[in-house]
Structures are given as C-alpha cells and as structure tokens.
Amino acid sequence: MKNQEIAKILYEIAEYLEMEGVAFKPQAYRKAGLELDTFDRDIEDLYREEGFKGLKKIPGVGESIAQKIEEYLKTGKIKYYEDFKKKIPADVEILTTVEGVGPRKVKIIFEELGIKNLDELEEAAKEGKIRKLPGFGEKTEKNILEGIAFLKRDKGRFLLGEILPIAKEVFAKLEKSKEVEELSMAGSVRRMKDTIGDLDFLAISENPEKVMDIFVSLPGVVRVWGKGATKSSIRMSQGFDMDIRVIPKKSYGSALQYFTGSKDHNIHLRKIAIEKGLKLNEYGVFKGQKMVAGEDEEEVYKVLGLSWMAPELRENTGEIEAAIREAQGKSNGLPKLIDYKDIKGDLHYHSRWQEIDGTPIEEAALAARDFGYEYIGISEHTKTLKIEHGLDEKQLLHHISEIEKINFRLSSGGQLKFRVLSGCEANIMQDGSIDIDDKVLARLDYVIAGVHSQFKMPMEKMTERIIKAMGNPHVDIISHPTGRLIKKREEYQIDVEKILEAARETKTVLEINSYPERLDLKDVYIKRAKEEGVKMIINTDSHNPSQLHYIEYGISQARRGWAEKEDIINCWPVEKLLKFFNE
Ligand code: DGT
Ligand code: CA
Ligand code: CA
C-alpha cells in the first residue's frame, strides 16, 4: 500500500517545517501522517474510485495536503518535499531518532558541519566537535553518543506492532493456497516478543516446491536469500527477513517446538530429555532408534514430563519447572494466563490529539463498543504538556460534563450498555507533584499520571518523583512507568523494586502501555509486579479508533509476564473498577 510511503513523507515534511520554525503546520502534517498510516483503505483505491474529493475524507487531510498526496499518486514525487530535501539533504528521519536530537538540531549540525547521517554524527561527537555548536554543549554531546550506541544495539530488530500485521497478512495468503495443508508461525513472533529479528513460518505440504514458489513470489519480496526444496529465506521491502520450512507431518510438533524456541528454553528442554535417556531435536523425541513423539507439540512436552505451555512463556524464566509441577498435579504450576478476549475496556484514549480536530469522544465510544468493549476512558493530557495542548482545570471540568452528556445520550434510548469514563493523563512534575488541582482530580472518574518531561534525572530522584506521585490519593494509575521507547530511548533511571513496593502500599495501578514502541511495563517487570501483588492495567494510549487493536500487543506482553486475569483491572466490569478507584 502507498499509505505508509506517503505517511512517511508527511512525517518528514513535518520535521522540515519544524526546522524552519514554522508554527502549527508541523502538527497538521504529523497528524495527517498518523491518520494515513492507520487508515483502513488503500489510498490508491480511494483515489481511483473517488478522486481528489475522496482524499479529503481522510481525517486531518485538508485541501493542501490532499494536493500533495494527489501529486504523489500521479508522479511518484512531491515537489514541496523534494525542495526541502535539496536544501538540507540530511537523513532527517534517522538523525531525529537519536534521543535529544530534534529537527532544529539537525539543521544546525548540517549547516555547521555538513553532517548527513548517523555515522558522521557519531564521528563528529567522538571528535568533540558537537559540543562547540551553538546550543549544544558537552552534556548534549555525551547524550548523543549514548543515544547512538542505544540505536545500534537494536538495529536490525523490528517492533512487534510493525511486523505482526504483515505476518498475519502473509499467513492468510499462504494459508489460502491449496498446497498448504497446515501452517504456523514460529520463532519470536509466536512468542510475541516485543521486538522481532525475522519471521519464521512452518508448513505441511504434499508439494513443498510449490510452496517455495509461492513464498518467494509473495508481494513485497525484494530479495531471495535462498530457495531450496523445503526451505526458503527472503527479504521484504520493509527491510526484514522471512524464513519458511516445510516439515513432514510426523515431525510437525517437534519442529514447531524447536523453531518456536526460545533458544534458552530449547537448551534447557534438551537437557531434560538427556536426563531421561531421550533424544530431542526438530525431528522428534527418540528413545534409541524409536520415535516416541513428534507429530504433536503437546505430546513432545508430555513425554518429557511437562505440560504444554503458551509460547509467550517460553523464555526459560521458570516456565519449564512450572510445567513439570503442573504435569505432576502439584500446586504452583503454570499460570492461567490472561486471555486475548478478557479485556473489557481501555482507559487510555486521547480524543483531542494536538487539538486539530481529533476524534470526537462519542465517535471513539462507538468505535470502542464495536470493538467489543463495555467501557472506554478518555484521558486527555493536562496543561503543562503544551505540545499536546493539555487541558487546564476549567477545560477538564468541561470534559467531565461533556462525557456526562454523552453517557446520557448513549443510554437514553436504553439500547446500549456502554459507559464513557472521564479521566486525564496528568503530568508528574519534577518534584513529584501533579500539574492539576486536587479538587478537579477528585471530580474525574480516574486519574492517570505519567512522566512526560525531564527524563534524565539521577535514579534516586526519579524514583522519589514517581513514588511521590503515587502518594497523591487521586492518582490511580501510572502510565508507561519506565518511559522506554523501543529502539529510541532508554528507560528512565528508576529503582523498579522500590516503585513496586510503593505501588502495592498505595494501591496504585501500573500501566502496561500497548503502544508498539512502548510496551511499558515490559515482560520482566510485569512478572515482578505480579509476584509483588501489584495490580496492572493494559491500555493502548490510542490517538484514534484505528489504534484500539494495539491492545493485542499489550496483552501479549502481559502473558509474557505471566499475568492472570485477576492481575489486570480492566478485565473487571465497570462497577467494580469504579469502586476500586473510589476506595
Ligand atoms: P528473532 O528472530 O531474533 O526475533 O528470534 P527467534 O527466537 O525467532 O530466533 P531465530 O529466528 O534465530 O530462530 C528461531 C528459533 O529456532 C529459535 O527461537 C529457537 C531455534 N533455534 C535457533 N537457533 C538455535 C540454537 O542454536 N539452538 C537451539 N536449541 N535452538 C535454536
Ligand atoms: Ca525469528
Ligand atoms: Ca529465523
């Protein structure tokens, strides 16, 4: 689809405009980019069927942006963008991913030092040239070097949220083929890891060669690394690789087990097999020459003395021991993981994103209802977050009364049991105070608080800051508690153990934010929170209805963190939730 191609250009135009110090326009381009990125119709189809007028149906797309989209669809180029690129031919998209480097800094480093890409930036920083630039200094230079090192560490990995939709599309295409008898995802994507190196598929087929033909000619394939009789490997246009293997039916279960991994899980499992005098590999479980399991994954685990466990658990963090206890009928076996269908509502939804139209609350509510929810909570940013046009006290009171009216309308026909809750995502200030008056916080159904500024504080200070916010009796939830942005920004320095202890004492809920680049809390912290009896909530942080489905990524991380239904408060009905917030 051209949607993502054009969205990327719109984002880049926003960066260029910001470089020039233009007001408002950058937000408009960014908003249009986001909408297009998540728009559910192919833009080429839309344009073919409805012409220029159709383009303006995309939220956030007005006359001038529609013209640029049309130009791209007709000529493959946007002159406005090309002119910017000629003036500053730096890789703005990559350079601005470095923590602390915004568009304006890109402009300075290009104009002063001619820096166009990451390698050049790194070299200049190492040579001490960055600190001498106006507005930079030694600390910025150090941060840039740290930022680049961080980016390099995750290079070549992809966000689960970027890759899973593509994996599902590929899966559906392959599955449709009559040559494919059985198909599974394997590897890290089956384990729903937060980042993915490459995609692995396994299949059963009478005609492996035909499956190979189909695989290497999938749309979006840009390179074939290898094409064998039963095994192929390709590169997709988005930059990641996919492997497929066709497996004989009698070995399908053991291959699925082996190629799902993780590697550490497999190594531990193989050790158990050896101790039992068995041999375990991708072809089966063997006693001498005799195959004792292989076709069925559950059987493979069973003959080794384990119960089957969800792929999300397979990281060798205690799941093997738990599966043995489970098989022996002992207590303390495998967790009864929260199910993908257990969530009843989402409490982190921004309806007035950057104040440029946004999605009206009622529309968001109806979308959430269609999504299968019983409630949605609208949690706008608050006043000190200027860039997001956060609400002040007066606007929050208006927000509450607007939601009351909507609830009244939604229930007046008596036709639906759906509830909109009024919330906010307030800012935790540097000293741990909340940027909204307590009296107004008390009027909301619930309060989320999060850190949105001054990320670089010493560990002790940052920990104190968040713990103080949890001590505010109106604060119910801490959003994205560690602040990481995968591949972009390190967590803040915090003492997670102390935060968990304070959360338990103050009965503050920690968020599992499902936004693809956040997934925060991450799996290992979720597991610790559960062990400490801390309640959590899985939210999406959606900015429009098409992001509600991000919830799947948050649920998968909760499952990777061994979370059960009772650990997650938005598995509860609304009455129980409100009672909990009121206590
Ligand atoms: P990724 O692709 O980096 O996100 O992670 P995975 O887990 O998908 O790893 P990948 O694609 O290299 O291999 C798929 C699975 O194959 C992996 O999860 C476990 C298995 N596997 C790969 N290499 C080894 C190995 O050296 N030993 C064992 N026991 N299993 C392996
Ligand atoms: Ca893989
Ligand atoms: Ca692989």
Side-chain angles (χ1 to χ4, degrees):
M1 287 215 291
K2 290 247 161 75
N3 298 37
Q4 278 70 30
E5 261 172 65
I6 300 174
K8 217 175 125 193
I9 295 176
L10 297 178
Y11 288 135
E12 263 192 69
I13 292 178
E15 313 263 80
Y16 277 117
L17 287 165
E18 218 157 88
M19 253 183 227
E20 305 285 320
V22 179
F24 301 117
K25 268 194 179 176
Q27 278 108 303
Y29 274 91
R30 215 163 272 139
K31 156 94 174 154
L34 175 79
E35 293 288 356
L36 187 55
D37 219 351
T38 52
F39 197 61
D40 52 11
R41 273 184 74 185
D42 187 327
I43 190 144
E44 284 183 285
D45 290 346
L46 178 69
Y47 184 61
R48 200 177 312 116
E49 285 157 28
E50 302 181 35
F52 186 71
K53 256 204 249 144
L55 297 179
K56 289 205 284 185
K57 281 192 183 159
I58 304 162
V61 173
E63 188 75 19
S64 132
I65 295 182
Q67 277 167 4
K68 294 187 177 72
I69 296 175
E70 182 176 48
E71 185 187 341
Y72 189 85
L73 292 173
K74 280 185 170 163
T75 68
K77 271 192 183 147
I78 298 175
K79 183 161 182 300
Y80 188 62
Y81 169 69
E82 299 296 329
D83 287 348
F84 275 129
K85 271 201 91 78
K86 244 178 254 160
K87 220 161 104 193
I88 302 186
D91 194 339
V92 182
E93 197 200 345
I94 297 291
L95 289 170
T96 50
T97 54
V98 179
E99 168 72 354
V101 178
R104 296 206 195 195
K105 287 210 162 77
V106 171
K107 185 176 180 187
I108 298 171
I109 58 177
F110 174 76
E111 287 177 349
E112 301 282 328
L113 300 170
I115 289 170
K116 291 200 210 98
N117 56 42
L118 268 193
D119 287 342
E120 289 167 7
L121 178 61
E122 187 177 18
E123 203 185 307
K126 279 188 178 152
E127 289 169 2
K129 287 181 183 162
I130 298 294
R131 68 180 74 179
K132 294 184 194 129
L133 297 175
F136 280 70
E138 226 167 294
K139 209 168 135 207
T140 313
E141 186 175 82
K142 190 170 152 263
N143 288 345
I144 286 176
L145 278 173
E146 278 172 19
I148 293 174
F150 181 70
L151 285 177
K152 282 193 169 167
R153 209 179 61 201
D154 276 337
K155 216 167 135 196
R157 295 194 70 79
F158 294 80
L159 303 182
L160 176 66
E162 275 175 330
I163 218 168
L164 188 60
I166 307 170
K168 284 181 180 173
E169 259 177 56
V170 169
F171 189 93
K173 278 202 188 98
L174 292 173
E175 205 187 22
K176 251 196 262 157
S177 157
K178 60 178 192 316
E179 306 297 344
V180 174
E181 210 173 295
E182 182 90 46
L183 183 70
S184 285
M185 293 189 207
S188 51
V189 77
R190 185 168 179 236
R191 303 197 311 278
M192 299 290 264
K193 206 167 136 67
D194 52 4
T195 64
I196 308 289
D198 68 357
L199 288 178
D200 304 281
F201 293 93
L202 299 182
I204 299 177
S205 171
E206 296 277 300
N207 253 322
E209 269 132 41
K210 285 241 175 75
V211 178
M212 298 301 122
D213 289 339
I214 299 170
F215 190 69
V216 301
S217 49
L218 283 166
V221 176
V222 291
R223 223 171 147 162
V224 178
W225 297 118
K227 183 180 176 224
T230 59
K231 206 168 108 176
S232 290
S233 182
I234 55 180
R235 163 73 45 98
M236 300 295 280
S237 62
Q238 295 92 340
F240 63 86
D241 292 343
M242 306 202 300
D243 297 341
I244 193 167
R245 287 180 179 79
V246 173
I247 309 287
K249 194 167 183 170
K250 68 175 187 347
S251 295
Y252 193 67
S254 45
L256 190 55
Q257 192 290 311
Y258 181 87
F259 290 109
T260 297
S262 64
K263 193 172 160 186
D264 290 344
H265 174 93
N266 286 356
I267 290 169
H268 190 167
L269 204 61
R270 192 176 313 142
K271 219 173 105 208
I272 288 174
I274 292 167
E275 282 163 11
K276 286 191 173 313
L278 299 169
K279 200 174 105 197
L280 167 69
N281 56 34
E282 60 262 55
Y283 305 105
V285 186
F286 301 88
K287 185 161 201 156
Q289 297 298 316
K290 194 170 161 260
M291 183 163 164
V292 292
E295 185 169 339
D296 180 65
E297 193 184 50
E298 197 171 336
E299 274 298 310
V300 169
Y301 281 107
K302 200 172 151 195
V303 297
L304 298 173
L306 281 76
S307 290
W308 183 89
M309 78 215 68
E312 292 93 326
L313 293 174
R314 302 183 195 172
E315 298 291 345
N316 196 31
T317 54
E319 78 283 4
I320 290 182
E321 294 81 352
I324 293 172
R325 289 193 297 270
E326 179 87 24
Q328 295 172 348
K330 290 187 184 152
S331 63
N332 214 359
L334 289 164
K336 284 174 195 56
L337 295 183
I338 173 178
D339 190 78
Y340 286 93
K341 292 186 224 90
D342 284 337
I343 296 293
K344 289 190 163 40
D346 191 339
L347 291 196
H348 195 159
Y349 188 97
H350 296 278
S351 77
R352 293 163 46 118
W353 188 64
Q354 297 191 338
E355 225 175 39
I356 303 165
D357 45 26
T359 317
I361 292 175
E362 194 158 344
E363 197 183 315
L366 295 175
R369 187 199 59 180
D370 290 346
F371 195 72
Y373 284 158
E374 295 172 14
Y375 48 86
I376 187 166
I378 311 293
S379 54
E380 306 300 9
H381 283 294
T382 55
K383 64 185 178 192
T384 54
L385 202 59
K386 294 254 168 21
I387 180 166
E388 300 273 4
H389 298 276
L391 307 188
D392 62 18
E393 281 81 357
K394 206 172 140 219
Q395 290 169 309
L396 275 172
L397 292 174
H398 179 75
H399 171 72
I400 294 170
S401 69
E402 200 182 335
I403 287 174
E404 273 168 13
K405 278 184 223 149
I406 291 169
N407 276 323
F408 184 74
R409 271 206 301 280
L410 289 180
S411 61
S412 63
Q415 79 279 34
L416 53 113
K417 272 170 74 184
F418 188 86
R419 209 31 210 277
V420 185
L421 304 182
S422 61
C424 69
E425 186 186 18
N427 300 302
I428 303 175
M429 307 308 284
Q430 201 168 3
D431 64 358
S433 62
I434 303 295
D435 66 341
I436 293 294
D437 194 275
D438 275 350
K439 283 199 222 62
V440 174
L441 294 181
R443 299 274 304 275
L444 293 157
D445 288 325
Y446 67 98
V447 173
I448 303 178
V451 171
H452 295 105
S453 61
Q454 282 121 348
F455 304 118
K456 291 209 179 239
M457 280 168 77
M459 181 184 287
E460 210 172 298
K461 285 258 155 57
M462 188 58 115
T463 306
E464 252 172 53
R465 175 180 177 185
I466 296 174
I467 290 177
K468 180 160 174 226
M470 292 197 280
N472 181 315
H474 301 295
V475 169
D476 301 299
I477 298 164
I478 300 293
S479 55
H480 39 73
T482 75
R484 74 163 176 170
L485 295 176
I486 305 172
K487 294 175 72 176
K488 264 194 205 152
R489 187 173 80 202
E490 208 58 93
E491 298 170 0
Y492 351 108
Q493 307 258 331
I494 47 167
D495 184 333
V496 173
E497 292 301 321
K498 280 199 178 136
I499 300 258
L500 292 178
E501 196 183 306
R504 195 187 48 216
E505 273 166 22
T506 58
K507 288 204 162 57
T508 309
V509 176
L510 299 184
E511 181 179 70
I512 299 170
N513 188 298
S514 310
Y515 218 76
E517 63 178 5
R518 288 197 183 270
L519 299 182
D520 176 13
L521 297 175
K522 65 180 175 191
D523 48 14
V524 289
Y525 295 149
I526 295 169
K527 190 155 183 259
R528 280 296 300 134
K530 178 197 160 64
E531 285 161 1
E532 291 302 312
V534 171
K535 294 279 182 238
M536 290 166 278
I537 182 163
I538 307 174
N539 285 328
T540 59
D541 209 343
S542 281
H543 290 70
N544 67 40
S546 69
Q547 294 179 329
L548 286 173
H549 77 92
Y550 286 173
I551 199 79
E552 181 183 6
Y553 314 136
I555 299 170
S556 63
Q557 301 315 294
R559 289 167 60 88
R560 289 175 57 80
W562 298 45
E564 307 193 13
K565 207 172 157 179
E566 45 267 39
D567 301 312
I568 307 294
I569 66 165
N570 51 337
C571 294
W572 296 346
V574 71
E575 298 78 23
K576 184 169 172 186
L577 201 62
L578 287 172
K579 200 169 152 240
F580 175 80
F581 290 143
N582 272 329
E583 265 166 14

